[in-house]
């Protein structure tokens, strides 16, 4: 199945809105085993979307998914443009109309009758996909030569459930998945080393294609194969995964934060943080996933020396002698998490994120990460990270979580 996605919206082209729908559809289609052949974004206005759909069909797309422009305003022209392109007429659909009236009624929203009618227009032969988070239905619209145009609303909270509940199951009925993919993350190993090691093992598994995506402090390894090679793919995944030992996160595990959370939960341990240069970013990362309240106490975001002293008991001597960015300060911050906050596991970070504040002895990018488990020797690592402020802080977050993860694995 050759799938093409066309997004409409000038706000996407001018950078006012990040195209999160594309990311969502890409991930979901990939997980389901479908490949996206092409993606395009066109400005508002019916002409561009109509032309783009026509070109996609002419280029041999089996399924064209359009996003946006189904609403009630004058710039919402996708429905009309696609119907014109396919040479079908729009017909008023009383069932869709009744569903929209009911949706609005439950929320006591009043809408002009014309706007309401407009959204109940359905191309002849098309199926309306009811929208439980908004008014405009999606449209499942057969096209000549057994092809298909699927129109979805732009707001992510409307598009996402509609896609998962109504589009994906129908897509599966049309044709099987074309590619199988699986993978895992490796932390703290450079991309070239990851690739070399993976490929040495993959010589024993013909038909399995590797791909790598380097992030800051992490590399994603992805393996893909045609559906017929499913058993080989599983064997290849196990072999490549094993080659990385503890550096590899479990397959399905999205990041070191998730791995840390799982390891803490398994032991019933509680984690506390002392964050200086990351300003709470490690805490944010841990709490991005639901369920963090079962293992995460909190973070002392101690940016100033004053707070390092009063909230984390870092002595004035330590700060004066070694400075706020030092192994001694990081170690003392960690210590306080166990003594004062009674954590079972802890991470403390202090560093120079830049762009200013560096010296010849302590340059920008210098970061100390202390981590450990109550009652066991802590680990204090000194790193000199390249990159800008954002990159240095992101690497600190990833590395700090990974450092604790490795300690938890051994505990
Ligand atoms: P509405 O009924 O809200 O008008 P619509 O189907 O006409 O829905 P649009 O008008 O294109 O959709 O977009 C509605 C909202 O969804 C806008 O805030 C828009 O920025 C946002 N949106 C549209 N497409 C995307 C996208 N690809 N990624 C993220 N947000 C998007
Ligand atoms: Mg709109």
């Amino acid at each position: 199945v050759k799938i093409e996605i066309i997004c409409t919206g000038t706000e996407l082209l001018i950078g006012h809105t990040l195209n999160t729908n594309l990311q969502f559809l890409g991930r979901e289609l990939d997980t389901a085993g479908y490949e996206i052949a092409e993606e395009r974004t066109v400005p508002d206005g019916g002409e561009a979307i109509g032309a783009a759909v026509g070109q996609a069909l002419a280029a041999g797309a089996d399924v064209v998914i359009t996003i946006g422009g189904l609403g009630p305003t004058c710039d919402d022209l996708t429905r009309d443009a696609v119907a014109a392109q396919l040479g079908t007429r729009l017909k008023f659909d009383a069932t869709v109309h009744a569903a929209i009236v009911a949706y609005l009624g439950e929320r006591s929203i009043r809408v002009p009758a014309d706007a309401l009618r407009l959204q109940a227009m359905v191309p002849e032969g098309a199926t309306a996909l009811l929208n439980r988070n908004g008014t405009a239905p999606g449209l499942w619209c057969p096209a000549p030569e057994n092809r298909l145009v699927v129109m979805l609303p732009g707001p992510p909270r409307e598009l996402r459930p509609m896609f998962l509940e109504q589009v994906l199951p129908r897509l599966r009925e049309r044709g099987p998945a074309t590619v199988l993919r699986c993978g895992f993350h490796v932390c703290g190993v450079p991309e070239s080393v990851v690739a070399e090691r993976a490929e040495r093992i993959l010589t024993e598994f013909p038909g399995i294609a590797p791909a790598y995506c380097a992030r800051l402090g992490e590399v994603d390894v992805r393996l893909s194969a045609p559906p017929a090679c499913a058993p080989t793919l599983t064997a290849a995944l196990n072999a490549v995964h094993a080659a990385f030992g503890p550096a590899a996160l479990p397959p399905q595990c999205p990041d070191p934060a998730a791995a840390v959370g799982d390891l803490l939960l398994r032991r019933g341990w509680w984690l506390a943080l002392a964050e200086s240069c990351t300003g709470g970013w490690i805490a944010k990362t841990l709490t991005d996933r639901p369920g963090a309240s079962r293992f995460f106490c909190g973070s002392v975001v101690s940016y100033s020396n004053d707070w390092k002293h009063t909230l984390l008991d870092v002595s004035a001597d330590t700060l004066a002698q070694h400075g706020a960015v030092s192994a001694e300060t990081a170690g003392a911050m960690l210590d306080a998490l166990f003594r004062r906050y009674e954590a079972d596991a802890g991470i403390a970070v202090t560093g120079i994120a830049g762009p200013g504040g560096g010296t010849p002895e302590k340059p920008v990018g210098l970061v100390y990460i202390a981590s450990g488990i109550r009652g066991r020797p802590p680990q204090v690592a000194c790193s000199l990270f390249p990159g800008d402020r954002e990159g240095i802080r992101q690497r600190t977050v990833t590395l700090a979580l990974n450092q604790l993860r490795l300690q938890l694995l051994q505990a």
Side-chain angles (χ1 to χ4, degrees):
V1 191
K2 189 175 171 195
I3 300 177
E4 174 152 349
I5 298 179
I6 302 168
C7 302
T8 60
T10 303
E11 78 276 11
L12 303 171
L13 289 169
I14 63 177
H16 277 197
T17 302
L18 185 65
N19 197 337
T20 56
N21 287 336
L22 216 43
Q23 185 183 40
F24 171 81
L25 289 184
R27 282 190 182 157
E28 293 301 330
L29 284 167
D30 178 62
T31 305
Y34 295 98
E35 277 180 288
I36 298 172
E38 196 170 343
E39 301 167 339
R40 282 178 74 176
T41 302
V42 298
D44 284 322
E47 238 168 77
I49 182 84
V53 170
Q55 285 157 15
L57 291 172
D62 301 302
V63 177
V64 180
I65 300 176
T66 71
I67 302 175
L70 294 179
T73 56
C74 62
D75 58 349
D76 294 322
L77 296 167
T78 302
R79 192 185 289 102
D80 296 73
V82 171
Q85 188 66 42
L86 297 179
T88 58
R89 286 194 331 209
L90 290 167
K91 271 182 25 189
F92 176 74
D93 187 316
T95 312
V96 171
H97 190 264
I100 301 174
V101 170
Y103 176 88
L104 295 171
E106 280 163 23
R107 289 161 184 78
S108 310
I109 304 170
R110 291 171 67 90
V111 163
D114 280 356
L116 221 160
R117 241 191 110 73
L118 194 80
Q119 293 179 88
M121 300 300 286
V122 173
E124 258 172 30
T127 307
L129 310 172
L130 292 189
N131 186 344
R132 62 176 169 83
N133 290 307
T135 53
L139 296 165
W140 177 273
C141 202
E145 296 164 27
N146 193 31
R147 283 163 321 149
L148 184 70
V149 179
V150 183
M151 293 174 253
L152 298 175
R157 61 183 289 274
E158 300 178 25
L159 173 139
R160 291 178 185 209
M162 187 182 288
F163 180 80
L164 294 176
E165 292 160 15
Q166 301 184 72
V167 177
L168 207 47
R170 283 184 169 83
L171 214 51
R172 286 208 174 93
E173 282 171 21
R174 271 181 71 90
T178 51
V179 60
L180 295 178
R181 267 194 247 276
C182 57
F184 58 90
H185 299 254
V186 181
C187 294
V189 183
E191 187 185 20
S192 52
V193 177
V194 170
E196 206 246 16
R197 199 178 299 173
E199 267 145 54
R200 206 175 329 126
I201 291 164
L202 286 173
T203 53
E204 291 162 38
F205 298 93
I208 308 297
Y212 311 95
C213 176
R215 302 170 190 282
L216 298 180
E218 276 179 79
V219 179
D220 302 354
V221 178
R222 269 175 292 131
L223 305 180
S224 59
C229 295
T232 318
L233 184 62
T234 308
L237 176 72
N238 291 338
V240 176
H241 186 265
F244 291 99
L249 301 184
Q252 317 294 335
C253 181
D255 50 41
V260 163
D262 290 345
L263 289 165
L264 289 166
L265 272 178
R266 216 175 290 165
R267 292 175 174 75
W269 284 352
W270 287 82
L271 169 67
L273 309 174
E275 296 186 73
S276 184
C277 61
T278 46
W281 194 339
I282 305 177
K284 155 86 167 83
T285 305
L286 285 165
T287 53
D288 277 343
R289 291 206 322 162
S293 58
R294 289 180 293 153
F295 62 82
F296 181 50
C297 312
S299 180
V300 178
V301 181
S302 53
Y303 217 65
S304 67
N305 280 3
D306 204 24
W307 274 44
K308 288 183 183 72
H309 178 61
T310 53
L311 295 178
L312 292 167
D313 309 321
V314 183
S315 73
D317 265 4
T318 300
L319 287 167
Q321 254 184 39
H322 305 283
V325 179
S326 64
E328 288 76 8
T329 297
M333 289 163 71
L334 179 68
D335 235 27
L337 298 177
F338 299 128
R339 270 189 296 101
R340 194 163 157 176
Y341 298 102
E342 297 180 0
D344 303 303
I347 301 174
V349 296
T350 176
I352 301 167
T359 64
E361 297 78 46
K362 295 192 176 179
V364 169
L366 180 70
V367 176
Y368 289 91
I369 299 172
S371 65
I373 295 159
R374 164 190 288 278
R376 300 176 202 218
Q379 184 181 345
V380 184
C382 170
S383 305
L384 186 58
F385 292 130
D388 58 5
R389 182 177 177 84
E390 169 95 358
I392 290 166
R393 282 155 39 101
Q394 172 72 73
R395 280 181 201 270
T396 305
V397 171
T398 304
L399 213 90
L401 287 164
N402 193 50
Q403 185 173 311
L404 178 66
R405 182 182 70 86
L406 293 171
Q407 289 172 302
L408 288 168
L409 278 176
Q410 294 199 334

